[in-house]
Amino acid sequence: MSTFSSETAWLCLAVTAALGGLVLCKLKSPGQVGRKVVCLVVLWGGACLLSLSLFWSLILFSLSCFLLYIYLSGQELLPVDQKAVLITGLWAVVNNAGIIGLPADGELIPMIHYKRCMDVNFFGAVEVTKAFLPLLRKSKGRLVNISSMAGGVPFLKMAAYGSSKAALTMFSAVMRQELSKWEVKVSNIQPGGFRTSITGTREMLDKLEKDILDHLTPDVKEEYGLDYILAQKNVLNKAFTYASSDMSPVLQDIQHAISAKRPFTFYTPGSGAYLWFCFVSFSPTGIFDYFNKKISYFNNGTPRILSVPDQKNKAM
């Protein structure tokens, strides 16, 4: 009996290795597609090792082959002849334009910054989408919206930017369902941290900082303290030290969303982006809030009134 089980285990391992090799050979470039398929192969191999009988091992093997065939058949890229792509900032429209503003506590961000983020990151994408939807419907094309990890993960200091990207994410989800009857496929890409020009120039950041100071009431400015407020500008510099300069994961996902027969609904390029979405989706709120404050590079310092014990008691 042990010999039979051992033979079955080795058979499962051999088949798993063969499937993995086939997948890696078929997928010409690493990325989100490869990671997901390889995970599927690994899960199948692990299940086979759970003392399954030969009969159920073969059943599971057949089912895995079928699922892999269906999955891989949808990942083949379509021909690009006589197709146009519009990237903002037609057979496909890619809404990529975006601004981040100056990350700061939500109370400190002036309404003009909230409105500016919504105008560019959300309303701009909606206007472009509506303008080109007649062409997309006729061509049964693709709509790709570049949102952000901040649109699904509540990072500190990102109230304006995150809210606008969350609106774009919801817009994508609704349009995906409404446009399915026209055979238009909608994908939402939510990248992690990448070094781009989204922050603007130093002069632009100085202007944003001045806007914050000009719109604060004397009481709010006194309670937060000038040192704390001016330190907000350092948040972006700190965040950029963890950002990646390699944009290829984002570009590969855009290419896949445009060209694949069955593009994904969501893409999460960037180191740790998918883990952040899992963390915020499945962990209790209290646990997420605790670790988000501990490890977030957007958390910098304490408002003046909370750093003085006597003043802190008055504020509470």
Side-chain angles (χ1 to χ4, degrees), residues 169-226:
T169 296
M170 182 58 69
F171 174 73
S172 302
V174 174
M175 296 304 294
R176 181 188 74 245
Q177 299 173 77
E178 294 179 350
L179 293 176
S180 62
K181 56 180 170 287
W182 299 96
E183 299 184 44
V184 174
K185 294 179 172 59
V186 181
S187 295
N188 186 40
I189 298 179
Q190 297 176 286
F194 291 91
R195 295 178 188 173
T196 67
S197 59
I198 191 172
T199 57
T201 63
R202 173 57 58 181
E203 290 74 19
M204 294 174 64
L205 292 178
D206 291 339
K207 174 64 167 56
L208 294 174
E209 183 181 70
K210 185 177 184 300
D211 287 342
I212 290 178
L213 293 172
D214 291 344
H215 286 82
L216 291 179
T217 64
D219 289 342
V220 172
K221 189 180 299 185
E222 173 67 19
E223 291 174 351
Y224 276 91
L226 188 60

Side-chain angles (χ1 to χ4, degrees), residues 301-313:
T302 304
R304 187 197 66 81
I305 197 171
L306 298 180
S307 61
V308 181
D310 293 340
Q311 297 295 327
K312 180 178 180 179
N313 293 333

Side-chain angles (χ1 to χ4, degrees), residues 123-146:
F123 291 123
V126 173
E127 289 179 358
V128 171
T129 299
K130 287 175 62 66
F132 287 93
L133 271 180
L135 293 176
L136 289 180
R137 287 191 287 102
K138 290 179 181 179
S139 63
K140 299 179 181 179
R142 306 291 170 85
L143 172 62
V144 181
N145 290 323
I146 311 297

Side-chain angles (χ1 to χ4, degrees), residues 95-148:
N95 286 310
N96 181 57
I99 59 172
I100 194 172
L102 182 62
D105 292 42
E107 186 178 9
L108 301 179
I109 300 175
M111 284 306 302
I112 187 175
H113 289 188
Y114 280 100
K115 293 177 180 177
R116 190 175 299 155
C117 278
M118 290 298 294
D119 283 341
V120 177
N121 300 343
F122 177 61
F123 291 123
V126 173
E127 289 179 358
V128 171
T129 299
K130 287 175 62 66
F132 287 93
L133 271 180
L135 293 176
L136 289 180
R137 287 191 287 102
K138 290 179 181 179
S139 63
K140 299 179 181 179
R142 306 291 170 85
L143 172 62
V144 181
N145 290 323
I146 311 297
S147 180
S148 169

